[in-house]
Amino acid sequence: MPHHQQPQPIRSLLRIPLFRLLAINLAIGACAAALLVGGLLWLNPGHLRELIFADRSPGIALALLLASFLITFGSAAMGSAIMAQGRKEDSGKGGGHGARLAVQEVAQRTRTQ
């Protein structure tokens, strides 16, 4: 009986460019969330660290805090990556696609008259 190697699902998903983009940005958001939770525990604003560790089960509070920050920052990073997909190369004109303000149009007309 021949031995067939099953394709690994994660590896096959990472070959899709959009999924790879989302996975990378989710990892960036997760790192930001972990750093922020660590910073909050280190700085102890409003005695947050003391409140968490005074509880009978501080692991649940830490898990909820980390999960909420992970969802927030992970989705923000993924959303900004998706929204940045439609940008064109920078043409050097700046914003507004070269459109002038109405005041600039009126000033140009009065100079030419």
Side-chain angles (χ1 to χ4, degrees):
M1 193 182 265
H3 177 67
H4 295 287
Q5 186 178 12
Q6 295 287 330
Q8 296 174 351
I10 300 294
R11 212 171 253 234
S12 62
L13 282 175
L14 288 178
R15 291 184 181 164
I16 301 170
L18 180 62
F19 185 79
R20 187 173 49 240
L21 174 78
L22 291 175
I24 289 169
N25 283 285
L26 178 62
I28 291 170
C31 289
L35 285 173
L36 188 63
V37 168
L40 281 173
L41 292 176
W42 180 61
L43 291 175
N44 196 20
H47 304 286
L48 179 67
R49 180 181 61 220
E50 295 167 10
L51 282 171
I52 290 174
F53 289 114
D55 193 27
R56 282 190 319 190
S57 55
I60 294 173
L62 284 174
L64 286 173
L65 184 66
L66 184 61
S68 62
F69 276 96
L70 179 81
I71 290 169
T72 301
F73 286 102
S75 61
M78 291 189 320
S80 63
I82 290 294
M83 287 185 273
Q85 286 295 307
R87 287 192 184 163
K88 294 181 181 178
E89 289 290 324
D90 193 18
S91 61
K93 287 185 177 180
H97 304 291
R100 295 198 292 184
L101 296 174
V103 175
Q104 292 172 332
E105 288 288 333
V106 172
Q108 181 67 26
R109 287 182 195 162
T110 56
R111 281 189 219 141
T112 57
Q113 290 178 356

